[in-house]
Amino acid sequence: MSQYPTINNVQVGDELPVMRKSASEAELFLYSAASFNPHRIHYDRSYAEYEGHEDIVVHGPLQGSWLTQFVTDWAGPQARLVSVEWQNRASAFVGEELEFSGVVSSIDETNGSVQIEIEERKKDGSLLMPARATVRLGGS
Amino acid sequence: MSTSLIPPESLARVGEILSEPVTVLIDQREAQRYAYAVGDLNPIYFDEGSAQAAGYRSITVPPLFITHALVRPKPADELRLDGLYEDTAAVSLQVSRMMFGGEEWDFLEPVHVGDEITGTTRLADLDQKEGKKGPFVRLVRETTFTNQDEQVVARSRQVGIAR
């Protein structure tokens, strides 16, 4: 018995388990290093403030990778991510608690894939990143 | 009608390759460092048996890792004040600020550790729009990722907003 959704049991309106993320200074530094990104707004607070940011800025692509993890954790290892898209509406800052939520918006039974509408929000409810993903679910 | 933020010579570049194709070997340790940095410890990125049980030929990599794998290292003395390298793929525009607008990805074939991935980036789209805060330019750079078997494994479209 698989714990993951299949095309036979998934329904439009199904909600994905909420995923919470936040990144400390050290975690943001690690991401800068792993992605070879020397942009100062991601580790130098006074420089980030000089550029008009409230604090050290969380990388856009890091949030993109959190987004893919949000989908693949739900869909399971047999599933295949087909596409993902997101818009960056506002900046996230170091230490902020960020929340990913998603809902299945359509199902394509001919190829076993589902589309998911996703939002990343701050604790105050403001929208950081509207997103959409298509994933082909694993076998039943 | 507002003035054009896009010089004709930049508009003429739509469809052009912005940077020469780069080919890299997908390295297991580099990919796993990326997975750790993201906090995505999916066993298909770490364990051969788990990856094969999930239908992969061997260990696979986090979906967006390939774009970072292609980053070309450069000498530190080429860094600007903001910590970035000069953007050699820049498109000339009459704007003061470039912001990150978002990304769109299509994943067509799996990527495995040991694959040789080539990325080619084109200027896919460039147009001026009218926003609440005045005119802005939407710039789309599309990267096509192919593997050693000439299969397109992924496409990414990075959207920049300039005003």
Side-chain angles (χ1 to χ4, degrees):
Chain A
M1 271 299 284
S2 168
Q3 56 178 316
Y4 297 110
T6 68
I7 201 69
N8 298 320
N9 65 21
V10 73
Q11 293 188 329
V12 169
D14 281 357
E15 288 181 11
L16 279 67
V18 164
M19 182 181 83
R20 290 189 181 83
K21 288 277 189 181
S22 76
S24 66
E25 276 97 337
E27 286 168 316
L28 291 179
F29 174 78
L30 201 58
Y31 186 80
S32 290
S35 60
F36 204 78
N37 179 346
H39 199 179
R40 272 170 84 176
I41 63 169
H42 301 306
Y43 55 87
D44 181 339
R45 177 168 283 117
S46 55
Y47 184 80
E49 286 168 356
Y50 163 75
E51 274 211 3
H53 301 288
E54 205 172 290
D55 204 339
I56 295 172
V57 180
V58 179
H59 312 67
L62 171 56
Q63 295 170 75
S65 281
W66 286 342
L67 175 68
T68 65
Q69 181 188 5
F70 176 59
V71 176
T72 57
D73 277 359
W74 171 75
Q78 301 285 342
R80 295 292 182 268
L81 191 61
V82 175
S83 65
V84 64
E85 59 179 83
W86 71 87
Q87 290 172 24
N88 295 98
R89 292 270 177 87
S91 297
F93 301 105
V94 62
E96 278 192 310
E97 193 176 288
L98 309 170
E99 192 173 287
F100 288 80
S101 62
V103 60
V104 174
S105 58
S106 68
I107 298 174
D108 184 343
E109 283 178 23
T110 59
N111 63 12
S113 71
V114 300
Q115 197 172 78
I116 307 161
E117 298 293 325
I118 302 164
E119 291 178 342
E120 183 199 14
R121 289 181 183 274
K122 297 197 188 202
K123 225 174 174 178
D124 66 8
S126 60
L127 181 62
L128 280 172
M129 202 165 86
R132 180 177 295 152
T134 301
V135 61
R136 204 165 60 240
L137 297 177
S140 46
Chain B
M1 194 184 142
S2 59
T3 56
S4 180
L5 305 178
I6 310 173
E9 61 274 22
S10 292
L11 203 57
R13 295 183 66 190
V14 172
E16 217 176 83
I17 290 178
L18 289 177
S19 48
E20 286 311 303
V22 184
T23 302
V24 295
L25 186 70
I26 297 299
D27 177 71
Q28 178 169 322
R29 189 143 77 151
E30 224 177 279
Q32 290 176 352
R33 280 179 179 158
Y34 187 86
Y36 273 112
V38 167
D40 187 352
L41 305 185
N42 196 324
I44 60 175
Y45 308 143
F46 294 90
D47 176 54
E48 188 82 31
S50 300
Q52 287 176 352
Y56 292 96
R57 193 179 73 228
S58 62
I59 291 177
T60 182
V61 302
L64 308 186
F65 169 70
I66 49 176
T67 198
H68 305 289
L70 287 167
V71 172
R72 204 197 294 265
K74 291 183 201 167
D77 62 6
E78 292 179 21
L79 293 172
R80 303 185 308 207
L81 174 68
D82 62 5
L84 291 172
Y85 295 104
E86 205 55 57
D87 186 357
T88 49
V91 176
S92 165
L93 297 170
Q94 302 296 319
V95 296
S96 53
R97 265 192 96 179
M98 176 64 100
M99 285 158 291
F100 195 66
E103 297 190 22
E104 302 167 7
W105 282 81
D106 292 312
F107 304 102
L108 305 165
E109 297 291 336
V111 176
H112 301 99
V113 158
D115 280 350
E116 260 180 42
I117 300 293
T118 301
T120 308
T121 302
R122 288 173 192 278
L123 178 61
D125 221 343
L126 190 60
D127 52 349
Q128 183 163 332
K129 295 179 180 292
E130 244 0 272
K132 281 179 210 148
K133 290 176 267 176
F136 65 94
V137 176
R138 188 171 173 275
L139 181 152
V140 182
R141 294 183 204 197
E142 182 175 276
T143 302
T144 303
F145 302 85
T146 52
N147 66 13
Q148 64 280 4
D149 301 321
E150 314 271 310
Q151 293 172 301
V152 176
V153 296
R155 259 189 215 102
S156 76
R157 290 164 64 86
Q158 296 189 319
V159 181
I161 303 291
R163 53 172 36 112

